[in-house]
Amino acid sequence: MTTTQTLLTPASDPTPVVVNTLPELSGPQWVTRFPGSNRTNDLNSSFRQSAEDFIVALKAAGANVRISATYRPRERAYLMHYCVKISKGLISPDRVPKMSGVEIEWDHGDERASKNAAAEMARGYTIVHPPALTSRHTERAAIDMTITGIIGKTMLDASAQAVEVTDNTVLYRVGASYGCHKLIPDPPHWSDNGT
C-alpha cells in the first residue's frame, strides 16, 4: 500500500516535505502513464514500410483507416497484461512480479478492491485481446487499426494486381501481400507475422 513519510526540514524552513516511500496503488490513473503511440513513424523500419504501403492502398480504394496503436512501451504492456490477469482472477495481486521503473502496488490489502482497481485499468485501456508482456507492439512490429468502407471495393495488392475485396478473408490476403498479417481473434491487430 502507498504510504508517505514526513521529513523534517531545517529550522530556517519549517515547511515539512512529504515523500512517497512505497509504490502507488493500482487504479485508472495508471492508464495515462507510459503512453504508447499511434504513429507509423514509431514502427521498426521494415514493418513501417509494409504498414504504410497497405494503408495507402486502402485509402486509394476508398477505405477509412483509424490507427489506435503502434508501438507500446514494455512498461505499458506490463500494466495492461497484469491488470487483465488480476481482474479475471488468473493471478493473485501479491504474486505479480515487480518491474523496474513501474512503482505500482497491485495488492490493495483486499481481494475485491485489488480486482476492482485492475478491472478499472483494463476498461481504461479498452483491452480487446489479452495483452502479452512481450508482443509485436513492444517490438515495434504491430499496428492496431480499424478499417471500414472497403468491402465491395477494389484495391491493389502489393503486386499491383486489382483485387475486389468481397469479405474480410480477401482483405487479410491483400494485407499479407504487403507484409501486414492479421491476428484474426483481435479485430484491429495486424503485425509482421500475424501474432
Side-chain angles (χ1 to χ4, degrees), residues 21-95:
T21 58
L22 289 177
E24 181 181 350
L25 287 172
S26 60
Q29 74 278 9
W30 282 92
V31 173
T32 58
R33 298 178 190 171
F34 307 105
S37 171
N38 65 355
R39 299 176 335 131
T40 57
N41 285 350
D42 292 319
L43 296 169
N44 70 46
S45 58
S46 62
F47 185 64
R48 173 185 173 184
Q49 193 63 58
S50 297
E52 288 178 347
D53 290 348
F54 182 38
I55 291 166
V56 165
L58 285 163
K59 289 182 175 179
N64 296 306
V65 179
R66 184 179 61 79
I67 301 170
S68 53
T70 54
Y71 170 62
R72 179 177 299 143
R74 291 181 189 280
E75 295 88 350
R76 189 171 185 84
Y78 165 84
L79 292 168
M80 294 174 76
H81 178 81
Y82 283 109
C83 75
V84 169
K85 286 199 165 238
I86 293 167
S87 69
K88 294 183 178 296
L90 300 175
I91 189 171
S92 175
D94 62 341
R95 308 273 311 180

Side-chain angles (χ1 to χ4, degrees), residues 59-164:
K59 289 182 175 179
N64 296 306
V65 179
R66 184 179 61 79
I67 301 170
S68 53
T70 54
Y71 170 62
R72 179 177 299 143
R74 291 181 189 280
E75 295 88 350
R76 189 171 185 84
Y78 165 84
L79 292 168
M80 294 174 76
H81 178 81
Y82 283 109
C83 75
V84 169
K85 286 199 165 238
I86 293 167
S87 69
K88 294 183 178 296
L90 300 175
I91 189 171
S92 175
D94 62 341
R95 308 273 311 180
V96 176
K98 303 292 182 198
M99 181 177 198
S100 178
V102 184
E103 297 299 320
I104 188 169
E105 176 57 66
W106 296 101
D107 187 358
H108 289 235
D110 174 80
E111 185 178 350
R112 175 172 280 166
S114 300
K115 283 176 123 178
N116 287 345
E120 286 183 51
M121 288 176 68
R123 281 192 295 275
Y125 286 121
T126 61
I127 293 171
V128 175
H129 190 73
L133 278 174
T134 302
S135 73
R136 302 317 293 152
H137 283 292
T138 60
E139 301 301 319
R140 300 178 185 267
I143 185 168
D144 286 353
M145 57 184 171
T146 303
I147 302 165
T148 56
I150 191 64
I151 304 301
K153 294 187 175 149
T154 299
M155 68 180 291
L156 298 180
D157 68 12
S159 301
Q161 297 296 310
V163 178
E164 183 183 358

Side-chain angles (χ1 to χ4, degrees), residues 163-179:
V163 178
E164 183 183 358
V165 182
T166 54
D167 58 27
N168 282 334
T169 303
V170 174
L171 178 62
Y172 301 160
R173 280 200 309 266
V174 174
S177 77
Y178 285 95

